[in-house]
Amino acid sequence: MSGSDPSVDGEPGPGPGSGSLGSDPEAVYGALRAEMEQVLVGNEAAIEHLTIALLTRGHLLIEGVPGVAKTTLANLFARTTSLEYRRIQMTPDILPADITGTHVYSEETGAFSIQRGPIFANLVVADEINRATPKTQSALLEAMQERRVTIEGETLALPRPFMVVATQNPIEMEGVFALPEAQRDRFQFKLTIDVPSRDHERELIDRFDDDPELGPDDVSQVVDIGDILTSRETVSMVHVAPAVKAYIVDIVDATRSHPDVAYGASPRATLAFLDGAKARAAIRGREYVIPDDVKALAEPVLVHRLVRSTDAELGDVAPVEVVDDVVDRIDPPGAADVSTEPVESGADDDSIPDPSQS
């Protein structure tokens, strides 16, 4: 698909107000959800997390059995946001250069030129990422973290915005390679898409019975790159009270001392909580983060980052059980500790205004 020409990191992009929805993350999310739900059924959480990741420069890892619309979800998201979209089908024989690009010799000019790979797009889908070898998976590391790639010594910036959505199948074990911890840590969220409920599946077959060709081509662009960039600015201004920041740190720190965890979450998880909670608040029309924003993101932020202890693996303790236990153990701050207004520079963190008294 071809969207509007993406700007490149480090170069001027669309200015404020260039999008039709302006800088309103709530309006952006509402428009995306309404348009994508013309095709999708029962995927509200996935749409929400895709929007949060896009507004916070994050990447997503989506796990699910075949046929639950993982790739369709990403394709729809790209079409409704005007993002240039590329899909890479990961296989054991794919090479890093097949992703990033390489130098190609031209007989006409007698010189080498760079042929850019599919990573040079706004939204890159790495389908069945665990089928590629660790060496090839590592080709995504620099791109996901630095928003640039190096091709034979030459560093090139990637388009802006830039986002990776990777999918993996949890039930096939033949010919797959587990993602290294460093690779998993680059994903802001991990989502698990289950098979739809009976009611949703009935709605699905009714919808496709009426229109058998229903698919990504049937949705329209409702958000442009200007909307995305200006909404990112709005998200960055969402207030997080000191008590909520402490709550985030307490949750992440608790994963490092949990008896079922050998290696807990990294500081990158802490930042994923911070950015994600701000975006979740913004798409709900709030200018401040509440503890529920943090709790709602605990599973997608942490579940793929925890390295379980040997006893936990042998005891078949699922990572999601560990996350639930951690969240249950940490007391969230009360309403009196959650400020809806930024604390002025130089103010004591202990003197947080009580929003219930304002």
Side-chain angles (χ1 to χ4, degrees):
M1 131 179 208
S2 61
S4 57
D5 292 338
S7 59
V8 175
D9 278 337
E11 297 180 4
S18 61
S20 59
L21 298 178
S23 58
D24 186 352
E26 185 178 18
V28 167
Y29 171 60
L32 290 174
R33 178 175 170 178
E35 189 68 15
M36 292 176 68
E37 286 183 341
Q38 294 187 48
V39 176
L40 296 175
V41 177
N43 283 283
E44 296 86 354
I47 298 171
E48 177 182 15
H49 285 87
L50 278 167
T51 306
I52 291 174
L54 180 64
L55 296 181
T56 55
R57 301 171 180 82
H59 309 288
L60 260 75
L61 176 62
I62 302 178
E63 185 174 87
V65 298
V68 292
K70 299 185 297 294
T71 306
T72 300
L73 177 70
N75 195 345
L76 286 166
F77 192 68
R79 289 180 180 271
T80 54
T81 54
S82 77
L83 298 179
E84 185 180 8
Y85 169 79
R86 294 287 183 272
R87 174 177 173 269
I88 308 170
Q89 183 62 54
M90 305 294 261
T91 57
D93 59 348
I94 195 171
L95 300 174
D98 296 327
I99 295 174
T100 60
T102 187
H103 279 98
V104 176
Y105 179 75
S106 171
E107 292 185 358
E108 294 181 0
T109 63
F112 286 90
S113 62
I114 290 181
Q115 179 175 322
R116 301 189 179 203
I119 196 70
F120 288 90
N122 295 124
L123 179 60
V124 177
V125 175
D127 236 345
E128 295 186 284
I129 189 173
N130 54 336
R131 287 200 175 279
T133 63
K135 181 178 181 180
T136 299
Q137 292 173 10
S138 69
L140 293 171
L141 285 175
E142 182 183 15
M144 293 171 67
Q145 185 63 27
E146 306 295 337
R147 264 64 177 182
R148 65 188 183 191
V149 296
T150 302
I151 302 175
E152 298 185 25
E154 185 171 354
T155 301
L156 302 172
L158 292 170
R160 181 170 63 107
F162 173 74
M163 180 178 180
V164 172
V165 176
T167 71
Q168 64 180 17
N169 179 348
I171 61 175
E172 291 189 36
M173 299 301 174
E174 295 292 333
V176 298
F177 304 86
L179 269 65
E181 285 79 5
Q183 179 79 3
R184 297 201 304 267
D185 198 37
R186 259 54 174 202
F187 288 100
Q188 183 182 31
F189 302 132
K190 178 186 176 183
L191 302 180
T192 299
I193 298 184
D194 297 317
V195 294
S197 66
R198 181 181 178 86
D199 290 342
H200 284 154
E201 197 156 16
R202 175 56 192 270
E203 183 180 347
L204 187 69
I205 63 172
D206 286 343
R207 190 174 296 185
F208 278 82
D209 185 36
D210 293 336
D211 185 359
E213 301 299 322
L214 185 65
D217 290 338
D218 293 292
V219 298
S220 303
Q221 174 192 331
V222 293
V223 171
D224 62 28
I225 290 179
D227 295 321
I228 295 167
L229 299 182
T230 54
S231 291
R232 282 181 172 182
E233 295 177 7
T234 301
V235 167
S236 69
M237 297 172 65
V238 171
H239 176 60
V240 187
V244 177
K245 291 179 180 178
Y247 182 50
I248 291 172
V249 173
D250 287 344
I251 289 176
V252 175
D253 186 61
T255 67
R256 299 165 185 161
S257 58
H258 195 279
D260 291 326
V261 177
Y263 299 99
S266 71
R268 190 178 283 119
T270 309
L271 297 178
F273 265 122
L274 176 68
D275 295 338
K278 291 169 76 170
R280 188 178 188 272
I283 66 175
R284 282 165 170 72
R286 279 185 278 108
E287 297 179 354
Y288 57 94
V289 172
I290 60 175
D292 281 350
D293 293 322
V294 178
K295 292 169 68 175
L297 296 177
E299 182 178 330
V301 167
L302 296 174
V303 72
H304 59 298
R305 289 184 160 97
L306 304 183
V307 179
R308 290 171 294 167
S309 65
T310 302
D311 288 344
E313 289 189 358
L314 292 175
D316 203 25
V317 177
V320 68
E321 295 178 53
V322 177
V323 173
D324 289 343
D325 185 51
V326 165
V327 173
D328 288 343
R329 291 186 182 190
I330 306 299
D331 292 329
D337 297 319
V338 180
S339 171
T340 61
E341 297 294 337
V343 178
E344 293 184 5
S345 178
D348 191 329
D349 283 355
D350 292 331
S351 59
I352 302 171
D354 183 349
S356 64
Q357 302 301 320
S358 59

